[in-house]
């Protein structure tokens, strides 16, 4: 399972770098409220994209 996640993150370096930087900016820095809402929305969209792309638990 971890190998599949890492391979998908390595296959798409642009989305991975945007995801990681967005996550750490929201985690360690407090941007203005509206900007943080936009960043959180983008982070949720990327999480949904990666979740759909991985589909770890296909039945």
């Amino acid at each position: 399972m971890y190998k599949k996640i890492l391979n998908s993150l390595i296959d798409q370096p642009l989305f991975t770098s945007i995801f990681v930087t967005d996550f750490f900016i929201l985690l360690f820095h407090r941007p203005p409220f509206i900007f943080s809402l936009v960043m959180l929305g983008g982070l949720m969209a990327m999480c949904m994209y990666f979740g759909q792309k991985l589909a770890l638990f296909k039945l």
Side-chain angles (χ1 to χ4, degrees):
M1 184 166 97
Y2 292 114
K3 186 176 181 182
K4 190 174 182 181
I5 293 171
L6 287 177
N7 284 339
S8 71
L9 291 176
I10 290 171
D11 287 343
Q12 299 178 348
L14 179 66
F15 282 135
T16 303
S17 62
I18 291 172
F19 178 78
V20 169
T21 55
D22 191 10
F23 178 73
F24 282 116
I25 285 173
L26 286 174
L27 189 64
F28 294 119
H29 181 67
R30 295 287 177 200
F33 182 71
I34 299 296
F35 187 63
S36 68
L37 282 178
V38 171
M39 288 179 69
L40 186 63
L43 190 64
M44 288 172 45
M46 284 186 277
C47 286
M48 288 189 289
Y49 172 76
F50 279 127
Q52 189 70 22
K53 178 98 172 138
L54 290 174
L56 292 175
F57 302 108
K58 282 186 180 178
L59 295 176

